[in-house]
Amino acid sequence: MDRRTYLKTGAGVVAGGLIAGCTGGGNGGSNETETDASADTESTSGETTGEQTESEESVVPSKVVIGSDIPYRPFEYETTSGELKGFDVEIAQAVFEEELGVEYEFKKTSFDSIIPSLNSGRFRIIMSAMTINEKRKEKVDFSDPYFTAYQTVIIKKDSSISSKEDLKGATIGVQKGTTGASAAEELKTEFDGDLTLKKYDQIPSAFQALINGQIDAIVNDNTVNSEFADKRDDVVFLEGEGAAAAEGENAPPYLTLTVENYGIGFRKDDDAFRKKVNEALAAVKENGTYDEIYSTYFSG
C-alpha cells in the first residue's frame, strides 16, 4: 500500500472519530490524554536539584481533538458515506499521525464560535482554513502558515456584473465570522454603504442562495469558490486585477480582494505543543508530503 492509498484509507478512520465527537462521545478537553511531566534530576556534586522539565509526552497529547467548520470543501467535508475528507484532514494526518505519532479527531463546530470554543477547552486546536490576522492573534496563537488563499467573488454566468465597480448596489452572500465577510464589509465601506450583505452560517447555504437568485454574488476563499464553480456551467469568477497583483503575487486570472495565509490555531498557553506542530509541518513540506496532498485537491 503506497502512502497515497494509506491516506485515503486513514480518512475513513477519522470520520468515525468525527461522528463520535458529534454524538456525545466526549468533549475536546476530556478526550485528550496527557501525561504529567516526569521529574528529571540533575546531580551536581552528588546533590539533586529537584528541577522538572516537560517530557515529550506531556507536550504532545496522545490524542489531538481538532475544531473545524464542516462542510467547507475542499478543506474539510464528509462524503455521502460519512467519510471525512479534505486538504486539512490529510495535512492533519501527515502532521499528527505520521510525524508526531498520535491520534487525531475532528470535531464539528460553527466558524463564528470556533475561537471561543477553542479557548473554553472544547478541543485542542483549530484546523478550518483559518486566515491568520491581527484580530484573531489577540485571542489565539497560530502555527507557521501552511496555505495561501485569496478572497474572491463568484457570480452567475448570465449576471450583469462584470467588474468590481458593478458590485455597487448588489446583494452579496458571505459566511459568518470569516475573512470573506470582513472583505465584503470593506467593500461596503468603499461603496459608501451601497452594498447589501447576507450572512450565512455555512457557505453551502450561500451557494444555494446564489443559484436560486436570492443574492447577486458571493465573497469567499478562492479554492472553495473554485470547488463550487468548477462543477457548474452557470457560475464563474468575477474577473479583474486586485490585491494579489498589487502585492506582486503570482496573481490568478480573477479579481482578488485580499491575500491571506492559513494557520493552525492554538490557545495562548500552548507554546510547547505549537512548536512541535511547526516542526512537523516543516517536515511534511520538506519530505514532499505537502506537495503530494496539495496536488490531490488543487490544480496549478
Side-chain angles (χ1 to χ4, degrees):
M1 180 184 294
D2 62 19
R3 203 194 72 81
R4 200 76 239 127
T5 304
Y6 170 69
L7 280 172
K8 297 298 184 187
T9 304
V13 177
V14 184
L18 170 67
I19 293 169
C22 293
T23 56
N27 62 36
S30 61
N31 279 351
E32 296 169 30
T33 303
E34 297 190 17
T35 303
D36 292 335
S38 59
D40 290 337
T41 58
E42 296 178 359
S43 296
T44 304
S45 302
E47 296 181 2
T48 301
T49 65
E51 292 180 354
Q52 292 185 335
T53 59
E54 287 182 306
S55 69
E56 185 78 10
E57 197 170 352
S58 70
V59 170
V60 182
S62 60
K63 182 176 183 179
V64 180
V65 181
I66 304 168
S68 192
D69 175 51
I70 304 167
Y72 198 67
R73 298 180 66 104
F75 290 93
E76 39 270 326
Y77 60 95
E78 289 177 288
T79 65
T80 53
S81 62
E83 182 182 11
L84 183 64
K85 300 184 70 174
F87 180 78
D88 278 349
V89 176
E90 293 203 20
I91 292 294
Q93 180 168 5
V95 167
F96 298 111
E97 190 171 283
E98 297 176 19
E99 291 297 326
L100 296 178
V102 299
E103 295 181 58
Y104 66 101
E105 171 193 338
F106 277 78
K107 184 180 286 291
K108 284 184 179 179
T109 190
S110 64
F111 198 83
D112 60 339
S113 64
I114 201 167
I115 289 178
S117 294
L118 171 72
N119 286 327
S120 70
R122 187 162 177 251
F123 34 78
R124 185 65 178 266
I125 62 170
I126 295 168
M127 284 189 76
S128 194
M130 177 170 274
T131 298
I132 301 169
N133 62 31
E134 295 305 315
K135 184 176 180 180
R136 289 173 179 159
K137 281 182 179 179
E138 294 174 2
K139 299 177 181 177
V140 301
D141 287 333
F142 285 98
S143 69
D144 294 333
Y146 71 93
F147 194 87
T148 299
Y150 313 98
Q151 288 304 317
T152 56
V153 183
I154 54 172
I155 55 176
K156 294 289 289 294
K157 193 172 185 179
D158 59 0
S159 173
S160 60
I161 297 170
S162 61
S163 68
K164 177 183 173 182
E165 290 69 29
D166 291 340
L167 291 170
K168 183 178 287 189
T171 299
I172 292 183
V174 297
Q175 183 177 359
K176 294 177 183 177
T178 64
T179 49
S182 298
E185 292 283 5
E186 290 180 11
L187 198 59
K188 183 174 182 177
T189 300
E190 183 180 333
F191 292 158
D192 296 323
D194 192 9
L195 193 70
T196 300
L197 302 185
K198 294 193 72 172
K199 299 182 179 182
Y200 299 87
D201 289 333
Q202 293 188 317
I203 201 62
S205 298
F207 289 151
Q208 191 60 52
L210 179 66
I211 296 306
N212 293 343
Q214 297 166 312
I215 56 177
D216 302 306
I218 292 172
V219 174
N220 195 45
D221 294 356
N222 61 310
T223 49
V224 180
N225 273 347
S226 179
E227 173 81 12
F228 175 68
D230 286 350
K231 294 178 179 179
R232 303 189 62 93
D233 296 329
D234 56 347
V235 175
V236 296
F237 277 93
L238 181 61
E239 297 183 354
E241 292 189 352
E247 292 190 14
E249 298 281 337
N250 185 17
Y254 42 72
L255 177 66
T256 54
L257 300 178
T258 66
V259 179
E260 305 175 353
N261 287 306
Y262 294 167
I264 300 171
F266 294 78
R267 289 191 286 270
K268 286 286 188 178
D269 59 353
D270 216 3
D271 289 345
F273 183 41
R274 183 164 57 93
K275 180 180 178 182
K276 290 294 182 184
V277 171
N278 277 336
E279 291 170 355
L281 270 175
V284 166
K285 291 179 180 180
E286 179 67 25
N287 65 22
T289 302
Y290 180 93
D291 289 340
E292 188 176 347
I293 296 171
Y294 187 98
S295 65
T296 301
Y297 292 95
F298 310 108
S299 61

